[in-house]
């Protein structure tokens, strides 16, 4: 396992997290509806609380007074206040919100969505705004002005969407409430962004043809794109709306009408949206759903003229096998990509919970409820082209390491490193002691890996060794350049030699080249095993301790 750093303790269970692209801070959305910002402290984790029971078992002769003294000392060492600010962002409960159970069943009998809607206010999604330039390029060049992370977007189970000032949130030293007006970090908010809870939040890159729009998915499969500039002006114009008007409003009024600030919406799924991903140029948005399908949206469709701003697919009863066959025929007869700007895969008969682009965006990797990694080939979205079983439980989160390797967070509590094509399980990064892993993320500069589970902690793992292969490759390229330069100098000096000497040198160089080629071939064979040696199994660690 990787070296575990000191975990961050939140005031309540975190449901989501987002690392700042440049600062050593992390934002967590909590189950009580607040957003907490914590400072990252890269100190090694010590298992004080877990060592005491074993310490008493192996040393039963220790007095009670001495053990209590050790407990007090360890608890004092563990107490590290990392919290910077706390802001309440959840939508306040209203009379209209009591009818969300009915809205959760508009498509079918969605018991999961009904349960989600009946829960108390909670912050499900947080996300810092994307940097304008490549993060890695900006971090390498100190003269480049860092831009990104100015805003913190939040989404809640009440359907509200908010934008917070990152500078204020990362500098406050006291708790801010939603009712605060003058010094509130909330820049704008859309109270009824969705009629049901928002399950996923994503931001497109600045290179996208439609700009850095926000993408939201809710509990009934509705996907909406938001322009933050329009949302800011809309929020200012509608601050005079009272809660009494919202209470009198029928929850079924304007059910599918896009709110102000929403530039596009698709209703092609019938269960909650589990994850988003976009390609490098920002022209395509991918969405996985618990209904077992992958949805692909053409973002260039947003800027087309004479195209609808709302696409709703009606295919009858999804539970009826006949309607599914009719839907498959409809997909063959009508090109939904050209007319509606979307494409959808066949039903995989398994909930798709996470996704990631690998192999230079030529493959799309999806994690499922049954613990299977499914691979889609680019532009072949009808069905999967490869699958990699092996996880004993569901794969709830995927974090990309490089084009061939990812980290997976499973409901068995393990964070695994997996290599794709060729498929191989490299090892275990860390464990959550049996609690499901709900989210994974990189810190600024890819120094640490953060993970969430069903407790009040954000666990941090040392991620520097995961970048060793890339740094070694860069070093090898530098060495190749130096050797090439030295070779040119040697050619200039040796120009005075005789022809016989040149022939001898050519023979020697040929022999050396053949040796180098054989060494390179051996290195290529060993390259996939390099990262595999980093991870050790539980048995290897057990015998290593002995």
């Amino acid at each position: 396992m990787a070296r575990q750093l000191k975990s961050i303790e939140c005031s309540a269970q975190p449901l989501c997290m987002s690392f700042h692209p440049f600062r050593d801070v992390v934002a967590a959305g909590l189950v009580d509806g607040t957003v907490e910002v914590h400072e990252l402290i890269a100190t090694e984790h010590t298992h004080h609380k877990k060592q005491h029971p074993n310490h008493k078992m192996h040393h039963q002769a220790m007095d009670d007074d001495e053990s209590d003294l050790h407990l007090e000392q360890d608890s004092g060492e563990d107490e590290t206040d990392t919290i910077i600010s706390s802001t309440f962002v959840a939508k306040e409960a209203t009379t209209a919100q009591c009818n969300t159970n009915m809205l959760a069943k508009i498509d079918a009998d969605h018991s999961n969505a009904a349960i989600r809607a009946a829960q108390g206010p909670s912050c499900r999604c947080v996300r810092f705004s994307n940097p304008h330039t490549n993060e890695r390029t900006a971090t390498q060049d100190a003269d480049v002005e860092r831009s990104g992370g100015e805003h913190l977007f939040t989404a809640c189970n009440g359907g509200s969407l908010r934008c917070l000032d990152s500078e204020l949130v990362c500098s406050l030293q006291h708790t801010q409430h939603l009712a605060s007006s003058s010094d509130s970090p909330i820049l704008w908010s859309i109270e009824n962004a969705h009629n049901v809870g928002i399950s996923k939040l994503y931001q497109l890159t600045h290179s996208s043809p439609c700009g850095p729009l926000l993408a939201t998915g809710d509990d009934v499969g509705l996907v909406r794109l938001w322009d933050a500039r329009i949302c800011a002006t809309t929020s200012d114009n509608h601050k005079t709306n009272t809660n009494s008007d919202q209470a009198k409003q029928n929850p079924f009024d304007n059910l599918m009408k896009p709110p102000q600030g929403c530039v596009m919406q698709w209703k092609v799924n019938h269960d909650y949206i589990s994850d988003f991903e976009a390609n490098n140029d920002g022209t395509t948005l991918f969405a996985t759903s618990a209904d077992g399908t992958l949805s692909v949206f053409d973002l260039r469709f947003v800027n087309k003229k004479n195209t609808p701003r709302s696409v709703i697919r009606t295919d009858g009863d999804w539970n009826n096998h006949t309607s599914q066959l009719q839907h498959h025929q409809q997909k063959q007869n009508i090109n939904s990509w050209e007319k509606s700007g979307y494409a959808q895969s066949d039903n995989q008969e398994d909930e798709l919970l996470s996704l990631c682009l690998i192999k230079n965006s030529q493959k799309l990797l999806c994690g499922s409820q049954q613990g299977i990694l499914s691979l889609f080939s680019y532009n072949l979205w009808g069905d999967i082209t490869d699958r990699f079983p092996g996880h004993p439980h569901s794969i709830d989160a995927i974090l990309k390491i490089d084009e061939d390797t990812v980290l997976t967070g499973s409901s068995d509590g393990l964070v695994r490193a997996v290599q794709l094509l060729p498929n191989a399980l490299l090892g275990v990064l860390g464990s959550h002691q049996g609690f499901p892993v709900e989210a994974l993320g990189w810190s600024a500069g890819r120094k640490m890996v953060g993970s969430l589970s069903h407790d009040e902690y954000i666990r941090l793992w040392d991620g520097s060794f995961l970048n060793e292969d890339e740094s070694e490759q860069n070093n090898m390229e530098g060495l190749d350049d130096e050797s090439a330069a030295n070779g040119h100098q040697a050619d200039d000096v040796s120009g005075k030699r005789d022809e016989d000497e040149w022939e001898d040198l050519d023979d020697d160089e040929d022999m050396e080249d053949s040796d180098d080629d054989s060494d390179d071939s051996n290195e290529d064979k060993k390259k996939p095993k390099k990262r595999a040696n980093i991870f050790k199994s539980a048995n290897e660690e057990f015998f290593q301790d002995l």
Side-chain angles (χ1 to χ4, degrees):
M1 294 185 181
R3 184 170 64 95
Q4 183 177 359
L5 305 178
K6 189 173 182 60
S7 302
I8 296 176
E9 183 177 4
C10 302
S11 60
Q13 177 185 342
L15 301 179
C16 54
M17 65 176 178
S18 177
F19 290 93
H20 196 278
F22 303 115
R23 294 183 179 181
D24 289 333
V25 296
V26 59
L30 307 185
V31 71
D32 59 357
T34 61
V35 171
E36 288 186 354
V37 178
H38 291 263
E39 182 182 4
L40 297 178
I41 301 177
T43 58
E44 190 168 359
H45 176 73
T46 56
H47 301 275
H48 292 296
K49 296 181 180 180
K50 297 179 182 180
Q51 288 179 357
H52 286 299
N54 296 330
H55 187 70
K56 292 181 181 179
M57 292 174 61
H58 294 288
H59 301 277
Q60 297 180 358
M62 179 180 292
D63 296 336
D64 295 338
D65 296 337
E66 294 180 0
S67 62
D68 294 338
L69 179 60
H70 283 289
L71 283 171
E72 293 177 359
Q73 293 177 354
D74 292 338
S75 61
E77 293 176 359
D78 287 341
E79 291 181 356
T80 303
D81 190 9
T82 60
I83 188 171
I84 299 177
S85 65
S86 177
T87 307
F88 185 81
V89 295
K91 181 179 179 181
E92 297 287 355
T94 59
T95 305
Q97 197 65 26
C98 298
N99 295 323
T100 54
N101 289 338
M102 295 184 294
L103 295 175
K105 299 183 178 182
I106 56 176
D107 290 340
D109 188 12
H110 297 297
S111 58
N112 293 333
I115 295 174
R116 287 166 175 255
Q119 294 174 351
S122 63
C123 180
R124 291 184 180 178
C125 308
V126 293
R127 189 175 184 90
F128 281 104
S129 57
N130 293 333
H132 295 272
T133 57
N134 189 3
E135 178 182 354
R136 187 171 300 175
T137 303
T139 54
Q140 291 177 354
D141 191 358
D143 298 333
V144 177
E145 183 181 359
R146 294 179 178 179
S147 58
E150 300 92 350
H151 301 137
L152 178 63
F153 303 103
T154 65
C156 302
N157 65 338
S160 60
L161 179 65
R162 307 190 193 281
C163 176
L164 283 68
D165 188 353
S166 178
E167 294 295 331
L168 293 178
V169 171
C170 296
S171 61
L172 294 177
Q173 297 297 331
H174 58 280
T175 302
Q176 286 285 349
H177 194 270
L178 188 62
S180 302
S181 58
S182 60
D183 55 351
S184 176
I186 299 177
L187 299 178
W188 54 263
S189 61
I190 306 296
E191 294 295 336
N192 295 318
H194 286 261
N195 292 289
V196 294
I198 299 175
S199 58
K200 202 63 182 179
L201 174 64
Y202 186 79
Q203 187 182 20
L204 303 176
T205 60
H206 290 268
S207 61
S208 176
C210 54
L213 300 182
L214 294 175
T216 56
D218 62 14
D219 290 343
V220 294
L222 178 63
V223 176
R224 282 176 171 171
L225 299 180
W226 305 85
D227 192 337
R229 298 168 298 180
I230 302 177
C231 292
T233 57
T234 302
S235 178
D236 294 336
N237 296 332
H238 291 277
K239 284 184 178 179
T240 57
N241 292 340
T242 59
N243 293 331
S244 60
D245 295 336
Q246 295 178 359
K248 294 179 182 179
Q249 183 181 3
N250 190 334
F252 290 98
D253 291 343
N254 300 325
L255 182 61
M256 298 306 299
K257 181 180 179 181
Q260 294 293 328
C262 178
V263 296
M264 188 65 198
Q265 69 174 5
W266 287 278
K267 181 65 177 69
V268 297
N269 298 99
H270 70 281
D271 208 337
Y272 71 93
I273 302 297
S274 57
D275 203 357
F276 281 120
E277 183 66 288
N279 56 356
N280 295 330
D281 56 1
T283 58
T284 308
L285 178 67
F286 307 95
T288 52
S289 176
D291 60 7
T293 60
L294 170 70
S295 299
V296 184
F297 305 104
D298 185 9
L299 299 179
R300 295 166 295 184
F301 185 81
V302 179
N303 296 329
K304 289 183 179 181
K305 296 182 179 180
N306 301 324
T307 55
R309 300 295 91 185
S310 178
V311 176
I312 304 174
R313 193 195 64 191
T314 57
D315 293 327
D317 187 10
W318 281 87
N319 296 324
N320 190 356
H321 181 67
T322 304
S323 63
Q324 293 185 5
L325 294 178
Q326 293 176 355
H327 167 64
H328 184 68
Q329 296 175 357
Q330 183 180 2
K331 288 171 59 179
Q332 295 178 349
N333 296 332
I334 301 176
N335 193 347
S336 60
W337 182 262
E338 294 292 336
K339 293 187 177 182
S340 303
Y342 79 92
Q344 195 172 23
S345 69
D346 296 335
N347 195 327
Q348 302 300 313
E349 298 181 357
D350 190 9
E351 295 183 9
L352 301 182
L353 304 178
S354 53
L355 78 163
C356 177
L357 280 171
I358 60 173
K359 300 294 183 181
N360 297 321
S361 300
Q362 296 301 315
K363 297 289 183 179
L364 183 65
L365 181 67
C366 298
S368 66
Q369 179 70 28
Q370 297 180 3
I372 300 174
L373 289 171
S374 302
L375 285 166
F376 289 88
S377 296
Y378 207 85
N379 289 332
L380 298 177
W381 311 120
D383 200 357
I384 62 174
T385 57
D386 199 356
R387 61 201 303 267
F388 179 29
H391 290 72
H393 297 281
S394 63
I395 304 172
D396 300 325
I398 297 178
L399 181 63
K400 182 179 179 179
I401 299 178
D402 53 33
E403 299 299 332
D404 303 320
T405 317
V406 296
L407 292 177
T408 60
S410 180
S411 59
D412 62 352
L414 297 181
V415 180
R416 297 176 174 86
V418 181
Q419 177 182 296
L420 283 310
L421 299 177
N423 301 333
L425 180 61
L426 301 181
V428 177
L429 179 72
S431 174
H432 279 260
Q433 307 301 325
F435 290 99
V437 181
E438 297 291 343
L440 294 171
W442 284 107
S443 66
R446 294 167 64 99
K447 300 176 184 178
M448 293 175 282
V449 176
S451 58
L452 289 183
S453 185
H454 291 181
D455 52 17
E456 298 179 355
Y457 293 92
I458 300 176
R459 285 175 170 79
L460 301 176
W461 316 90
D462 183 15
S464 59
F465 73 97
L466 296 175
N467 303 320
E468 289 180 357
D469 287 356
E470 185 175 356
S471 61
E472 289 179 0
Q473 183 178 0
N474 295 332
N475 294 333
M476 291 300 296
E477 292 177 356
L479 293 175
D480 294 338
D481 296 337
E482 293 179 359
S483 63
N486 295 332
H488 290 299
Q489 294 178 359
D491 293 338
D492 296 336
V493 174
S494 60
K496 300 178 181 180
R497 297 182 180 179
D498 297 334
E499 296 180 357
D500 297 337
E501 294 179 354
W502 274 111
E503 293 177 357
D504 296 337
L505 288 174
D506 291 338
D507 296 337
D508 295 338
E509 288 178 356
D510 292 339
M511 294 296 294
E512 291 177 358
D513 292 338
S514 61
D515 295 338
D516 294 338
D517 294 339
S518 62
D519 294 338
D520 294 339
S521 61
N522 293 331
E523 289 180 359
D524 294 337
K525 295 179 180 179
K526 296 179 181 179
K527 185 173 284 187
K529 299 180 181 179
K530 183 183 296 183
R531 184 170 275 132
N533 295 330
I534 297 177
F535 300 94
K536 296 181 180 180
S537 62
N539 294 331
E540 292 175 349
E541 291 185 350
F542 176 77
F543 289 107
Q544 183 179 3
D545 296 336
L546 294 179

